[in-house]
Each structure stands twice: as C-alpha cells, then as structure tokens.
Amino acid sequence: MTKLPIERLEAISSQVRRDILRMVHQVQSGHPGGSLGCADLLVALYFEIMEHDPSKSVQKDHFFLSNGHISPVFYSVLARSGYFGIDELSTFRKINSRLQGHPTTHEGLPGVNIASGSLGQGLSASIGTALSKSMNGETGKVFCLMGDGELQEGQVWEAAMFAPANKVKNLIAIVDVNGQQIDGPTDEVLPLLDLSKKFESFGWNVIQLENGNTIQDLIDSLRKASTLSTEGPVIILMKTKMGKGVDFMEDSHHWHGIAPSDSQLAEALSQLPETLGDYPI
Amino acid sequence: MKGFINSGNKDTRSGFGAALLELGKTHPEVVALCADLTGSLKMDAFRDAYPDRFIQVGIAEANMIGMAAGLTIGGKIPFTGTFANFSTGRVYDQIRQSVAYSDKNVKICASHAGLTLGEDGATHQILEDIGLMRMLPGMTVINPCDYNQTKAATLAIADWQGPVYLRFGRPKVANFTPENQTFEIGKALQLTEGKDVTVVATGHLVWTALEAAEMLEKEGVSVEVINIHTIKPFDQEAVLKSVRKTGCIVTAEEHQRYGGLGELVAQTLVTNYLVPQELVAVNDSFGESGKPEELMIKYGLGAENIRAAIHKVIERKSK
C-alpha cells in the first residue's frame, strides 16, 4: 500500500521531469542529466516515504541533497510538494531568485536544510542531524543523496568511517550510481570499483537497488532501509540512468550540465506527459 | 604592569576548557566535537562530565565541521575543537559552504594558533587564520588575550547567534584581565589612557603591548593601549576615537601582516581618518621550530619591536 497509487507517483515524476527540462532550457544553464535520473527517487521520498509537512518549519524526517548540482529536481519536487509555489520555478538561476544554481538556505527557500554544490559535504551534515535527533530522543529519519562521482571526495570517506563506528541511527545514505561524471564515465575518470564491498567493509548495511527508476522498487528499498536504520547506518546503491525519461539524453555524460535547445526541448517534452500542469513562464 | 597585575601565567586553551565545562551545565544544547586532540584542547573535563554530548571524531576535520553544521539543524550548539591550522585552512571550503553560507550556529574553537605553538614548527603554526575567517561573510572572529578573557569569550559565544571563530593558544601567558569578566562581543577595551600614540593589539600581543607601554612611559611617551579581542565585528569607533586624539597608531598581532588586524585597521583609517600606522606582525613568512619566546623575538613580535614601531610612528607623525 502506498499513500498515492503508483500510477499517480509515476505521473508526478513525469511532471517533475518536464519541470527540470523547462527550467534548464529557460536559462540555458543547469544540470538536467542527474536531475532526470533522480526524479523517481525524490518523488518516492517526498510523496511516499518521508514524514514531512511543508507548512511547518521543523520536520520529522530530513533530506539532504549532497550533489547540489541536481537542484532542478530538488526544486521541482519541493514546489510540487507544497514548500513554495510552482510559479517560482521560473526564477531558477535568475538574479534575485531563491532558486540559486545550487541549493542554499541563505536566500530563505523553504525545504532546504543546508547549502550544497561543493561536493562531498552532505553526508557529514546528515550524520550531525541524525546524531542531534538521537540526542533529542527523536525517531525521524535522515536521508542523504550523493552522486557516484562525488564519492571521489575524501570527506565522504571520513563520514563513511564515522557513521558505522558510532552506530548512527536513522541515517539512510543513497548513492546515485549512474556511472557518469562531467569528464566521462566514472570507470574512466577514476574507477569506484566495488562500492558494495567498500561500504560493507566500513560497516554499512548495504542495499543494492538495480532499478532506481522504478517507483515500486524505490519504495521497497527505502522502506527496507528505514527499518534497518534503527540499528545503524544504511546505504542504498541506486542504479539509475542519467537523463532517464528522454531517449536522446539517457546514459550519456554529455547531458550532465548542458541545456537542451528549443527543438530538443520540444522533442523531450513530447516524451513526457504533462500531468499536473506546467508552471507558467 | 601599568595598573595590570599578572595573577600567574596560564594557557588560554585552559580558559576555553573551563568555560566549556561550565556550558555543559548551563546549556544542555551545547555539544562538543574534537578531532583527536581532546587533551590539547582541554576538552577532557567536558568529555568526562558529559559523555553523551561529546563526539570523538577522529582525525577527520572536514567531517567534524560538516557534522557540526548538521547538529545545529536539531537545535544543538556545537563547539568544534582542534588546532587553529586544522580548524581553518584544512577545512576552509567546509566552513564556507556548510557553516557560513548555510548560516549555521557552529562555534569553531581553535587552539595552538600562531608562532607560540613552538617546537612543532611551521606546519602547525598557522599565521593566516584571522584573515581566512574574517573574509567569510557572517563569521564572527574572536581572539582573546589571556585565560580569564578566553573563558569569558567561550561563555559569551554560546549565547551569540551565528558562526564564530574563537582563536586561542598553547603557552602559559600572563593572566591579567578580571576574573569572571563580562565579555561583550565586538567591543574593544581601552586598557591604558595615553595621548602620544595608540597601540591596538589582539591575543597574546596585548600583554606585550602593555610591556612596551611601560617601557615608553619611562621615556616620557604616553601610550593608549586598546585590546581588540573581537576582530569581527570590528569596533571601528573605538579605534577612530583614539587616533583622533593621539594622531598615530601601532597594531600588534601574532599573525601575518596580510589579512590580519593591521590590515583591518589600515582599511579603517584610509576610509575614515588617515594617520600614520606601523604594523607589528609576521612579514610574509612561515614560522619554524623553537621556543615560543624565541620565536616571538625572531619574527619581530616582542615588546622591543612594539617599542621601536611606536618611536617610528611618532616620528612619522611629527614630520
């Protein structure tokens, strides 16, 4: 059972993907590839898994986007969840906007917990928040999304060593394993090798998710992780397709940080049904 | 010492440790994090009294700063502890993004700042940290002068909303400011009244400035010594008021001449009221191993150096 039918969640994902493409296209700037790949995860988190109430300033569950460059998917899901109006999506990356190129608390955008963009920092912050919840006797969950290329940052491994050693509870890390980074496939730039073994040897409970673009599978993995996390930290190695949902963008690092042209946008939008109404430009 | 009595040499880091222990009792939301330097930072008393609120991070300063930022989201007031070098340069981007730009209420507490760390040498003797930290928007930067003042400053920053860099040191130095003083962040303290020259000093150099003032008193020179314990927000008015009277100024700090108190005062003078200034600071070099007092002399941070700078600046004023 889910709060919303799976078909409904898939419909939201389609709209989120349209938002991502339209935002990036409008300013001819931003990161569509990873955003499209993580759309299903964020929809599953915000519309099914997490306990949160956009009308409140303090949330039970927390989400940290460590790979801040996929801000388009974050902003779309926050707006579609009710943290702010969808009209504001049209201000993405423009001057005087709360929707900065990379997410920040500095401009007062609701739903953002910390600035991110310089990579490798989100897991540490997530551990801190999970620890504060434990100290307060709270049971809320902390979810942290990282990119796979981001794991090349040393700080990630400082944090990865700390969390299991200190049995940090209610912490669920998620790695977007799309195998791509700016300069090419991760296997060519700096191979990550066996991430499962790496995290297992650090003491994490590792969940492999083969299809991170299937909502039901995502929900199953996230629920399992939430249950396991009461004992100690859990990490989901989530395979996704970069650019998922737009055939000519899928599985290519080319679309990491490139905006579609007018004709490419039209072609992409034709593959994604408008389910909740596009935000006005 | 010109109205100031050294009640016995003490290290400023012990003032930090004593205050942290007090905060454990008075502020249940205070938590402490340390990167494998608990004894050096004098955080062991807090650790033993409040083990559930002490986090041993290991030698992982970047993770420490990030976790501290995350702890604030759950309403905690985290105090991080490591050497000044590892509190700033090593984790500059983490402080910039996760703390300063994210407006997180983290207290970055840094011991063993400057040359007086001594024998460990230049790898550990950061002389750039004031500059690094004061460049960050929203960062408060505090560099108290002795044990009593470091203790008071540590207590004060717990009730100050926003990120703070608190800088203190390793050696035992004169303890001469009042016990149980009230520490007002951003308020300069005039220690002596004088008419010929203003000396503004920060940290360990405040006592050295008083020593220099006493020497000059005997030579018939009247020196106004001001303790700048808060670098940012900077008490510009206190400095301007003094130089309008004295007409010249010497700055003294255990820091590079670039980015530190001297440069800050120069900017204040240039944009408000220009008078001759001399800087007592490290002149664009790294430190080295040696005894703290030897290093302070070799790198030009002794009372004699302040005395010479005062003579020079008064001569420039009279030209």
Side-chain angles (χ1 to χ4, degrees):
Chain A
M1 276 295 287
T2 48
K3 292 174 197 162
L4 296 171
I6 294 294
E7 301 75 41
R8 177 72 178 161
L9 293 171
E10 287 168 349
I12 297 170
S13 281
S14 180
Q15 186 64 53
V16 165
R17 289 191 161 95
R18 290 181 68 88
D19 290 348
I20 293 164
L21 292 161
R22 294 177 72 237
M23 288 162 75
V24 172
H25 169 262
Q26 200 193 357
V27 286
Q28 284 297 298
S29 153
H31 298 78
S35 294
L36 292 167
C38 290
D40 304 304
L41 169 72
L42 266 74
V43 168
L45 280 172
Y46 276 82
F47 290 88
E48 173 61 27
I49 298 292
M50 281 169 47
E51 280 193 47
H52 66 116
D53 179 351
S55 68
K56 292 185 177 151
S57 60
V58 179
Q59 302 298 337
K60 183 173 186 218
D61 293 344
H62 282 84
F63 172 73
F64 289 83
L65 181 69
S66 191
N67 49 334
H69 57 272
I70 66 166
S71 57
V73 65
F74 191 27
Y75 294 149
S76 168
V77 169
L78 286 177
R80 298 286 172 184
S81 303
Y83 282 89
F84 51 88
I86 59 167
D87 291 15
E88 201 169 343
L89 294 175
S90 67
T91 69
F92 174 64
R93 283 187 174 235
K94 291 180 182 166
I95 197 159
N96 299 324
S97 173
R98 300 196 293 180
L99 278 59
Q100 291 291 298
H102 295 80
T104 177
T105 53
H106 203 66
E107 310 298 334
L109 189 69
V112 181
N113 293 309
I114 199 162
S116 60
S118 177
L119 294 171
Q121 301 186 29
L123 186 57
S124 299
S126 303
I127 293 170
T129 299
L131 287 173
S132 70
K133 285 177 187 292
S134 290
M135 290 178 188
N136 294 339
E138 297 163 7
T139 56
K141 306 290 180 197
V142 179
F143 298 89
C144 175
L145 175 61
M146 295 175 280
D148 52 358
E150 182 178 9
L151 301 183
Q152 291 158 0
E153 290 281 8
Q155 185 181 348
V156 173
W157 300 98
E158 293 185 5
M161 196 181 298
F162 181 93
N166 290 275
K167 297 190 173 56
V168 176
K169 294 184 173 48
N170 299 316
L171 173 69
I172 297 134
I174 302 151
V175 181
D176 177 20
V177 185
N178 62 25
Q180 307 289 335
Q181 58 190 112
I182 297 180
D183 276 359
T186 51
D187 278 348
E188 291 174 19
V189 177
L190 184 61
L192 301 165
L193 304 182
D194 192 332
L195 285 178
S196 179
K197 273 189 190 162
K198 278 191 163 93
F199 280 100
E200 268 169 21
S201 71
F202 275 64
W204 288 75
N205 211 327
V206 179
I207 294 175
Q208 300 265 17
L209 172 54
E210 284 307 312
N211 195 342
N213 293 116
T214 305
I215 297 262
Q216 186 64 59
D217 290 357
L218 279 161
I219 289 171
D220 292 345
S221 291
L222 289 164
R223 281 182 178 159
K224 184 180 168 194
S226 292
T227 304
L228 291 170
S229 73
T230 54
E231 300 299 316
V234 183
I235 192 161
I236 300 174
L237 302 176
M238 173 187 75
K239 280 194 188 156
T240 68
K241 271 185 197 256
M242 186 179 249
K244 173 70 184 179
V246 178
D247 55 11
F248 63 89
M249 290 185 172
E250 284 184 7
D251 269 341
S252 165
H253 65 87
H254 174 73
W255 291 98
H256 171 91
I258 300 284
S261 66
D262 292 354
S263 60
Q264 286 167 330
L265 177 70
E267 168 66 21
L269 292 180
S270 74
Q271 301 174 26
L272 296 163
E274 181 181 350
T275 52
L276 305 177
D278 286 341
Y279 67 84
I281 292 179
Chain B
M1 189 62 56
K2 226 186 159 194
F4 292 91
I5 295 159
N6 177 8
S7 62
N9 283 9
K10 272 179 139 173
D11 47 354
T12 52
R13 57 184 163 142
S14 285
F16 164 71
L20 190 63
L21 183 63
E22 277 188 35
L23 287 171
K25 191 172 178 186
T26 57
H27 290 63
E29 65 277 34
V30 164
V31 297
L33 303 92
C34 188
D36 196 32
L37 287 167
T38 312
S40 296
L41 267 285
K42 305 295 180 187
M43 295 171 90
D44 29 10
F46 181 95
R47 175 198 62 199
D48 296 343
Y50 306 100
D52 295 342
R53 287 151 58 193
F54 177 79
I55 299 167
Q56 171 59 267
V57 179
I59 310 165
E61 295 82 6
N63 187 41
M64 176 167 73
I65 296 297
M67 290 199 301
L71 280 157
T72 65
I73 292 166
K76 303 300 174 191
I77 306 175
F79 281 61
T80 66
T82 182
F83 290 171
N85 188 33
F86 314 135
S87 292
T88 57
R90 188 172 182 95
V91 289
Y92 197 64
D93 187 46
Q94 284 77 15
I95 294 174
R96 183 176 180 275
Q97 175 173 284
S98 289
V99 177
Y101 186 46
S102 293
D103 309 304
K104 298 299 186 221
N105 192 24
V106 174
K107 314 304 174 187
I108 300 159
C109 303
S111 184
H112 292 55
L115 290 170
T116 51
L117 169 140
E119 292 80 355
D120 278 350
T123 54
H124 288 50
Q125 289 162 336
I126 193 159
L127 294 163
E128 306 85 32
D129 55 326
I130 290 176
L132 287 170
M133 290 297 111
R134 86 173 171 89
M135 279 197 292
L136 290 172
M139 182 65 72
T140 294
V141 180
I142 299 175
N143 185 34
C145 66
D146 70 357
Y147 173 95
N148 286 341
Q149 193 160 78
T150 305
K151 188 176 172 195
T154 306
L155 297 175
I157 63 175
D159 295 320
W160 176 265
Q161 182 60 39
V164 174
Y165 179 61
L166 179 67
R167 178 194 212 236
F168 42 92
R170 173 177 183 241
K172 289 187 165 68
V173 294
N175 187 30
F176 61 98
T177 64
E179 209 178 343
N180 303 319
Q181 62 190 278
T182 302
F183 188 90
E184 204 177 327
I185 293 168
K187 177 113 177 78
L189 296 171
Q190 184 185 317
L191 300 183
T192 67
E193 200 173 336
K195 59 180 180 12
D196 298 326
V197 62
T198 301
V199 176
V200 297
T202 188
H204 290 149
L205 268 288
V206 175
W207 180 253
T208 317
L210 288 171
E211 288 178 326
E214 190 168 77
M215 291 180 202
L216 285 153
E217 193 86 354
K218 288 169 187 158
E219 300 172 26
V221 179
S222 164
V223 183
E224 185 149 300
V225 178
I226 297 175
N227 173 6
I228 303 287
H229 55 58
T230 307
I231 305 284
K232 188 180 179 183
F234 180 55
D235 193 348
Q236 173 169 296
E237 283 314 309
V239 172
L240 290 172
K241 185 176 166 225
S242 181
V243 297
R244 283 197 175 101
K245 177 174 63 173
T246 62
C248 63
I249 188 166
V250 169
T251 56
E253 62 199 302
E254 190 180 349
H255 191 270
Q256 295 289 356
R257 60 192 291 126
Y258 303 117
L261 176 64
E263 203 175 82
L264 174 59
V265 167
Q267 189 181 87
T268 302
L269 298 180
V270 166
T271 51
N272 290 279
Y273 183 79
L274 197 55
V275 299
Q277 177 188 353
E278 289 293 324
L279 282 78
V280 174
V282 174
N283 189 15
D284 196 23
S285 78
F286 291 103
E288 65 180 85
S289 294
K291 290 198 177 79
E293 54 275 23
E294 293 171 340
L295 291 164
M296 294 299 265
I297 302 295
K298 176 164 179 179
Y299 288 85
L301 307 183
E304 268 304 329
N305 302 102
I306 297 177
R307 178 177 168 270
I310 288 171
H311 279 304
K312 190 172 174 191
V313 84
I314 288 175
E315 196 184 315
R316 283 176 59 201
K317 175 173 70 164
S318 60
K319 271 181 187 166

